Amino acid sequence: MTMLFVMALSWLTPVEAQVFNTFHHPIFSKKEKRNPVNDSTLTVSLITCYPGEEIYELCGHSAIRIRGENIDSVWNFGIFDFDQPNFVYRFVKGETDYKGMAYPFPDFLKEYVITGRKVVEQDLNFTPDEVKKIHEVLKTAVLPENAEYRYNYIKDNCSTRILNHMDSAASSPIIYPDSVRYGSFRNEMRAYHKNYPWYQFGIDVALGSGLDASTNAREEMFVPIEMMRNAESAKFADGRPLVKQTTVLYPGRRNVVLPPTPWFLSPIFWAWLLTLAIMVVVVFNIITNRLYYPLYAVWFFILGLAGCLVTFLVFISVHESTSPNVLIFWLNPFQFLFTAGIIIRSLRILAKVMAVYNVVACGLLLILSPFISQSFNPAFFPLLGSSFALAGAYAIIITKSSYKIR
């Protein structure tokens, strides 16, 4: 359960966040007040930072750069303060507030040079009036009364905020390519998390069918790298290309992202290995008509612990993708009743009821999974099979007139 909880929290850590425990570097410094910005010299560009090795860096990061006479600034909408009260609980519940901030661009770039992550700049083909307008929009967005916003991993993040600000400043609508690369949020996340299968396993436990909703090309730009790709081919309605010039500001180091997880360390391998061991025990229990109750008690206790997390995410968290989640029929706190019925003889009726419940619930999930809108992680199937087999073996043995528990 500890590992599952950590993986779930890993999902809750935003992919693009830049963590600053002390916010600093206000862009409107004394120097800039003495030397006002000349709007006629300004240029605006989209900055895309490539993935890093940390979980929250796997999809990269986006920001806007505005530079000109007396100014070279970055406008970053992926900032949060980890020292906020009850930060982890608010993260899990979906009530994390993020900030937009402006500060000197060299300070922003320095972090990515240190971590070896590639940084690409796309100069946007905005007219002087559009540049002036987006500058005003951004200045308004980072004012103290406007800077905080309620973060949403796929709907309102560093990339989607930039898209909206660009749209609001453009005098002619920006038309992005309409080709869909992934088809759903989950498929897109799996593509970017392919070297981190345990992380994706945690996401697939925590997030329900909302993550499998069909996506259009614009929605897929919640990932910064996808926004960069689509921006390269985008045009204004008046025919202007959105991107005037692309420059690699820092080429990055090779092998920044961790290599693929070996097959023998992947969730699917360990799920099948565990299932094989459980099946051997189950067959032996049925043949000998004896229950090795510690295995049954521990297994369903772990399911109950995982079920507490899933239940919290479904019924209490306000993250839009955590509910509905069909895994709650398998992972739920009622599994504790199974363990209680196994350990306490007077409560054995609870174990009998939960055994039947698990046979039905796990069997239906296995059979109906191809027709359910929620996509299952491949490792779920052997684990569901283990629950089905253990519950079935318990039901068979416990109903026989003669059995012995040891």
Side-chain angles (χ1 to χ4, degrees):
M1 175 60 187
T2 301
M3 180 176 292
L4 181 61
F5 185 71
V6 169
M7 289 186 291
L9 289 183
S10 298
W11 162 71
L12 294 168
T13 305
V15 296
E16 79 292 332
Q18 307 301 310
V19 182
F20 292 87
N21 288 327
T22 304
F23 296 138
H24 62 299
H25 293 315
I27 196 61
F28 307 111
S29 64
K30 293 180 180 179
K31 176 182 177 182
E32 287 161 3
K33 290 178 180 178
R34 292 196 303 267
N35 301 286
V37 173
N38 183 353
D39 286 336
S40 65
T41 67
L42 296 181
T43 60
V44 59
S45 56
L46 173 64
I47 302 297
T48 304
C49 307
Y50 273 58
E53 68 175 12
E54 300 297 335
I55 285 174
Y56 57 85
E57 299 171 341
L58 294 182
C59 292
H61 180 55
S62 295
I64 289 182
R65 182 186 186 185
I66 292 182
R67 65 190 189 277
E69 186 178 340
N70 298 323
I71 185 173
D72 187 4
S73 58
V74 69
W75 305 74
N76 185 351
F77 293 91
I79 293 174
F80 66 86
D81 183 3
F82 192 80
D83 288 337
Q84 290 177 343
N86 304 313
F87 180 84
V88 173
Y89 173 77
R90 289 171 60 84
F91 239 99
V92 177
K93 194 177 178 185
E95 295 181 346
T96 307
D97 292 326
Y98 276 57
K99 277 191 174 183
M101 290 190 66
Y103 52 97
F105 180 74
D107 289 353
F108 175 86
L109 182 61
K110 186 186 304 181
E111 178 182 355
Y112 294 94
V113 173
I114 291 173
T115 56
R117 294 165 61 186
K118 183 177 179 179
V119 180
V120 174
E121 180 175 37
Q122 294 170 300
D123 289 336
L124 301 181
N125 197 20
F126 277 18
T127 65
D129 287 342
E130 289 170 335
V131 173
K132 182 178 180 179
K133 184 173 181 181
I134 196 169
H135 192 204
E136 293 301 319
V137 167
L138 291 171
K139 286 193 290 186
T140 301
V142 299
L143 289 175
E145 61 268 29
N146 301 326
E148 286 193 354
Y149 69 95
R150 183 56 50 86
Y151 175 83
N152 183 300
Y153 179 75
I154 57 180
K155 297 291 186 179
D156 197 355
N157 62 17
C158 72
S159 296
T160 61
R161 288 250 150 182
I162 290 173
L163 280 173
N164 293 336
H165 291 321
M166 289 165 54
D167 285 344
S168 66
S171 58
S172 178
I174 302 173
I175 302 172
Y176 295 94
D178 60 0
S179 58
V180 175
R181 292 169 59 91
Y182 303 101
S184 74
F185 295 113
R186 196 186 303 271
N187 287 342
E188 188 167 0
M189 292 165 69
R190 284 175 174 171
Y192 279 88
H193 304 159
K194 61 183 179 181
N195 288 5
Y196 296 68
W198 285 104
Y199 174 43
Q200 187 60 48
F201 178 86
I203 289 176
D204 290 338
V205 169
L207 300 188
S209 58
L211 209 62
D212 297 294
S214 297
T215 53
N216 56 42
R218 184 182 178 90
E219 288 173 327
E220 291 186 344
M221 287 193 282
F222 83 95
V223 172
I225 302 299
E226 298 303 322
M227 182 168 71
M228 178 190 71
R229 289 173 176 165
N230 284 350
E232 197 68 39
S233 304
K235 296 181 181 295
F236 291 92
D238 59 18
R240 286 176 291 152
L242 174 62
V243 175
K244 182 166 49 178
Q245 177 181 314
T246 300
T247 306
V248 177
L249 297 180
Y250 176 64
R253 298 195 302 267
R254 295 183 62 184
N255 303 322
V256 173
V257 178
L258 295 179
T261 299
W263 62 270
F264 54 86
L265 296 179
S266 66
I268 186 66
F269 172 79
W270 283 100
W272 277 111
L273 186 64
L274 178 61
T275 298
L276 178 62
I278 286 175
M279 290 302 179
V280 170
V281 175
V282 165
V283 170
F284 179 77
N285 287 169
I286 292 176
I287 291 175
T288 60
N289 200 37
R290 295 159 64 97
L291 284 171
Y292 183 61
Y293 79 92
L295 171 63
Y296 294 76
V298 169
W299 179 264
F300 290 101
F301 182 77
I302 292 174
L303 295 188
L305 288 176
C308 290
L309 175 61
V310 172
T311 300
F312 178 88
L313 291 171
V314 169
F315 293 105
I316 299 177
S317 174
V318 296
H319 283 291
E320 65 179 35
S321 297
T322 58
S323 181
N325 185 344
V326 297
L327 293 182
I328 198 169
F329 293 106
W330 171 43
L331 304 175
N332 58 69
F334 291 115
Q335 300 290 5
F336 289 135
L337 300 178
F338 205 152
T339 298
I342 292 172
I343 297 175
I344 304 172
R345 182 176 292 271
S346 61
L347 299 179
R348 184 155 296 160
I349 184 62
L350 296 178
K352 293 180 180 179
V353 171
M354 289 304 300
V356 174
Y357 170 82
N358 275 280
V359 168
V360 174
C362 295
L364 287 176
L365 286 174
L366 287 169
I367 294 171
L368 299 178
S369 60
F371 312 101
I372 296 174
S373 59
Q374 183 172 333
S375 177
F376 285 9
N377 188 287
F380 291 171
F381 296 104
L383 298 179
L384 278 165
S386 294
S387 295
F388 179 88
L390 288 169
Y394 186 90
I396 291 172
I397 296 173
I398 208 73
T399 54
K400 292 183 178 180
S401 58
S402 59
Y403 66 92
K404 182 178 181 182
I405 300 179
R406 66 177 179 86

